[in-house]
Amino acid sequence: MKKFISLLLIACLGAFIFISLYFPGGGTLAFPYYGDVDLNGRVSQAYIDKSVNGPNDVVVYGESTDEESGSANMVTSIVVDYRSFDTLGEVTVLLVSTLGVGILLGGKRKRLEYKHAPNFILKHGARLTFGLLVVFGVYMFAHGHLTPGGGFPGGSIIAAAILLLYLADDEFRVKLAGIKIAEGTAGSLYVIIGLAGLATGGYFLYNFLPNGTVGKLFSAGIIPIVYALIGLKVGSEISGAIDGFATEEVAE
Amino acid sequence: MNPILLIAVPLLAALFAVAFKKIGRVLLGMAAVFNFAAALMITIWYVEPQVIVIGGFRPPFGVSLVLDGYSLTGVLLLNAIFALIMLMSFRHTSKLAAVLSITLAALNGMVLTGDLFNLFVFMEIGAIAAYIITTANRDLRHTFNYLIVGSLGSGLFLFGVILLYTLFGTLNMGDMQSKMAASPAPMQQALILPLVLLFAGLAVETKLIPFGGWVRGVLKDANPLTGSLIVSAYAFAALLVFGRIFGEMFVLSGALLTAFTIVAAATLVLAEASAFSRRTLRETLLYSSIAQSGLVVLLFLNHMALPAVLVLISNVVSKLILFTVSGQLAEACGTDETDRLQGAFFRYPLLGVGFTIAALSLIGIPLFFGFSAKLNALSALFGQGNWILPAVILLMGVVEGVYYIRILSALWHAGQEGETSAKDKLAQFPPVRQAVTGIVGLVIALLIVSAGIVTLSSFGTSGANDFITLIRQSLGGM
């Protein structure tokens, strides 16, 4: 009976959402079809033109210099510059979640035992792949202001490399104290960069470095630095959480 | 002083606490003291509403904070409440130092932000921190329940925000408000779905029935820290957010207003009835909190922002001391059943004074702040020509009066001679803890009485529409 009522409620909610999205206001479509949105009058157009703080000419890849926000990757300029404060928040979401994992799975722990001991080739093959994966992760966040990617995917790739070591080697463990120091330092530097912006430009998270030429590796001011910090932080944070899941409590 | 520091500094403290675990609690204490001092200075220097730009991008393009009388009230009291909770329950913070610093940042962010998506981010941080804080109760089933309900609520809220962005092309609250005013009629129809989603999302954190089903499990055995944080600091921030969205941004009318008002009124009635039927301190108090949430939501929905804020302040300030004392009594005696705590205050009058005045203020005894708050709410409702809601509120006030008096008379009752009562079990109650809680209780009691007299003296004559201005005008007029 309880299940039936739940199903009925969900069906009603579904119908309500469907009807509201497709027939609001007696047939006039308030929600536009995909691709039909008029970008003028929406904030996104100004992000694309890099014209938030004043009118701007055409942005040319590899030529325009000192453009607003300076990143060739539009998504990155929104995520780490125009709305960097939200990103600081998202970084905090991950931080507080892994703190929760740490509190619930804390105490003295040892590795989970495998039924079959991993063989020599698997262990050492994984170590070789580990290096390549870390380089790929670093590339991902170092290039985040130029190509798709950035600190979150870069950090996740690094954490995936650590996960590989955990899976391939039943004795491997990261040094948790080191992980915590890397995590805390990278995160604090993000906030400190924000405060430096407040001190130099008058705005928290102000991009106080020169923006350079759009499309060059050294461009976009603080964006690559922030992305590197996020990559480091996300990588160490998720590695710490992986350690929590790959270990079990030692009975005392 | 830039209000952004109220968010940045506790966040920095949390990050340092992650790196250097040993000094985590020192950092937490410093962050709490800094935030309280900073909020006080911001209040003293406050002249007029201002928008605080972040990153140097003008609104509505960048994320920005809004400091006006409303958010200033929130910031000042929130940081004061948080500092007092830390003062009284610091020994419970051992593992939680970093999480609590993040909580402080998130609650300030929720109150200050002027951007809908940014609001979602801070609510999310605050909610995850709350899940972790409630694990201190050791019954993880209730926390898990809270996590599921809370995540569902956040999801609905985010869906609503996405739809609003689709409609208006902006996330800045002020900008959205002006675009909404200029929009054609069909747009008003399209608003129904996103508003229902926002309401459902917020109803989880503001504990409206049936969305607040998680509360009982999480709070009935809560330690003083968890309990006072959830019913006081979190409730304050969540309801202020509700007021920002449904009291200021979207002014409701018609069927939607009626539907939401019914949910709020039902919450008030059902929760007061539940509170009346409970025999343990914390359960009574948690249902009383839910009921007061219903009342505050009711007032916000019916365009009475100032009365709503007054009732909210009266409730969270009183609940802070009520819940802390109840939690401490439960720790010392192993139970919080009212009957088995007979004479507790007889043994420790210092604990009793703050508790008693806070409870009397909630009942609405004249000269206490709770009386001013209720009077304001009732006269505002009468002013609208509304008779049904005031009748409900008055009736519920009587119910509330009965169960608070019942609690007080039990706790102050000396007990029969030869009977083993709570006062014997309380013998081990550490004197330092007792003194700290007692003194904080006295300070709160003093504030309740003085704010009650000050606001009552200027009742009806002050044209203020926020708490800070009201207090300033009342003080100036004396």
Side-chain angles (χ1 to χ4, degrees), chain B residues 124-447:
Chain B
E124 195 60 14
I125 300 172
I128 298 173
Y131 308 146
I132 298 171
I133 292 168
T134 56
T135 58
N137 296 340
R138 295 209 180 80
D139 193 346
L140 294 182
R141 263 178 324 146
H142 297 306
T143 297
F144 192 69
N145 187 17
Y146 179 22
L147 186 138
I148 298 290
V149 178
S151 308
L152 188 67
S154 307
L156 294 178
F157 185 86
L158 183 62
F159 187 18
V161 172
I162 292 170
L163 290 177
L164 286 173
Y165 178 73
T166 315
L167 285 172
F168 299 108
T170 181
L171 289 165
N172 184 287
M173 293 181 189
D175 190 39
M176 192 180 283
Q177 220 175 336
S178 49
K179 282 194 171 159
M180 199 159 32
S183 63
M187 204 73 120
Q188 308 289 344
Q189 285 282 324
L191 273 178
I192 293 176
L193 175 63
L195 289 186
V196 168
L197 291 171
L198 290 191
F199 182 80
L202 286 172
V204 174
E205 288 301 323
T206 52
K207 318 194 211 59
L208 296 184
I209 290 173
F211 305 91
W214 55 272
V215 185
R216 183 177 167 269
V218 165
L219 287 184
K220 70 179 165 47
D221 299 315
N223 68 29
L225 174 76
T226 314
S228 50
L229 265 177
I230 302 275
V231 296
S232 192
Y234 270 97
F236 191 46
L239 283 162
L240 282 177
V241 166
F242 187 93
R244 190 62 110 183
I245 291 183
F246 285 101
E248 193 183 314
M249 268 188 84
F250 304 100
V251 179
L252 301 179
S253 58
L256 215 50
L257 176 64
T258 317
F260 291 172
T261 306
I262 289 173
V263 173
T267 301
L268 173 64
V269 174
L270 292 175
E272 289 290 15
S274 300
F276 183 79
S277 68
R278 302 294 149 160
R279 288 290 179 270
T280 60
L281 272 183
R282 283 174 294 187
E283 269 193 277
T284 311
L285 290 174
L286 76 91
Y287 279 112
S288 158
S289 285
I290 298 177
Q292 295 297 308
S293 279
L295 177 56
V296 172
V297 164
L298 189 81
L299 293 170
F300 272 131
L301 285 173
N302 289 283
H303 330 305
M304 281 168 277
L306 181 63
V309 170
L310 294 182
V311 171
L312 176 59
I313 292 172
S314 151
N315 182 47
V316 293
V317 170
S318 290
K319 285 286 158 48
L320 165 65
I321 194 71
L322 292 178
F323 230 95
T324 306
V325 171
S326 308
Q328 291 185 345
L329 286 178
E331 275 180 336
C333 306
T335 176
D336 64 339
E337 272 175 56
T338 321
D339 294 337
R340 293 175 62 189
L341 286 175
Q342 272 200 357
F345 292 157
F346 208 65
R347 180 94 168 75
Y348 293 112
L350 198 55
L351 285 183
V353 176
F355 188 99
T356 309
I357 292 184
L360 292 179
S361 166
L362 276 183
I363 301 171
I365 304 286
L367 289 189
F368 296 120
F369 182 64
F371 177 71
S372 292
K374 273 195 180 166
L375 193 65
N376 237 300
L378 290 174
S379 76
L381 279 166
F382 280 129
Q384 283 191 348
N386 196 329
W387 294 92
I388 304 168
L389 291 178
V392 174
I393 294 171
L394 279 173
L395 188 69
M396 289 307 122
V398 174
V399 175
E400 211 176 10
V402 173
Y403 64 73
Y404 276 122
I405 297 289
R406 194 173 63 199
I407 290 175
L408 288 179
S409 55
L411 291 176
W412 281 107
H413 181 63
Q416 306 290 311
E417 202 155 325
E419 201 177 42
T420 31
S421 69
K423 60 183 179 189
D424 305 312
K425 291 187 190 148
L426 278 172
Q428 290 97 23
F429 200 54
V432 177
R433 197 181 308 159
Q434 202 196 117
V436 171
T437 312
I439 291 167
V440 171
L442 277 181
V443 170
I444 289 179
L446 214 65
L447 285 175

Side-chain angles (χ1 to χ4, degrees), chain A:
Chain A
M1 192 60 193
K2 206 174 166 186
K3 282 182 183 163
F4 179 72
I5 294 175
S6 315
L7 190 70
L8 206 67
L9 273 175
I10 292 170
C12 286
L13 182 67
F16 172 59
I17 291 174
F18 184 82
I19 291 169
S20 311
L21 286 179
Y22 281 86
F23 315 103
T28 329
L29 207 63
F31 295 101
Y33 283 114
Y34 182 76
D36 280 358
V37 179
D38 177 20
L39 281 185
N40 292 311
R42 300 178 86 89
V43 285
S44 34
Q45 189 63 51
Y47 297 146
I48 296 170
D49 298 339
K50 296 189 183 298
S51 63
V52 161
N53 281 341
N56 191 22
D57 295 338
V58 182
V59 182
V60 184
Y61 183 84
E63 285 177 23
S64 304
T65 50
D66 287 328
E67 292 288 343
E68 182 180 273
S69 152
S71 163
N73 181 347
M74 275 177 220
V75 176
T76 299
S77 41
I78 296 172
V79 172
V80 198
D81 209 6
Y82 291 119
R83 298 188 65 92
S84 187
F85 194 51
D86 283 341
T87 305
L88 180 60
E90 293 298 348
V91 166
T92 313
V93 167
L94 189 62
L95 169 74
V96 74
S97 311
T98 48
L99 279 173
V101 173
I103 287 171
L104 286 179
L105 303 179
K108 204 175 174 206
R109 303 179 72 78
K110 67 174 175 66
R111 276 300 306 267
L112 290 173
E113 277 171 28
Y114 287 167
K115 270 185 189 162
H116 305 286
N119 62 43
F120 174 83
I121 298 175
L122 181 62
K123 272 189 192 174
H124 290 267
R127 282 192 191 169
L128 282 175
T129 322
F130 172 77
L132 291 174
L133 274 175
V134 169
V135 171
F136 181 47
V138 170
Y139 162 77
M140 208 69 176
F141 65 65
H143 244 233
H145 57 303
L146 305 176
T147 49
F152 284 99
S156 308
I157 291 168
I158 293 174
I162 299 274
L163 175 62
L164 180 70
L165 290 187
Y166 269 94
L167 291 177
D169 185 347
D170 60 351
E171 281 161 4
F172 176 81
R173 276 195 80 178
V174 289
K175 288 201 172 56
L176 276 180
I179 288 272
K180 288 284 165 200
I181 289 177
E183 185 185 342
T185 315
S188 328
L189 283 174
Y190 190 177
V191 180
I192 290 170
I193 285 178
L195 291 171
L198 185 64
T200 54
Y203 305 108
F204 186 65
L205 289 171
Y206 178 70
N207 196 341
F208 56 87
L209 292 177
N211 277 342
T213 308
V214 174
K216 293 275 186 275
L217 184 61
F218 292 102
S219 68
I222 62 170
I223 293 181
I225 303 173
V226 168
Y227 252 169
L229 292 173
I230 294 179
L232 197 64
K233 181 166 171 298
V234 170
S236 47
E237 229 151 41
I238 299 182
S239 306
I242 289 172
D243 182 74
F245 291 124
T247 52
E248 60 187 342
E249 216 164 325
V250 180
E252 285 172 41

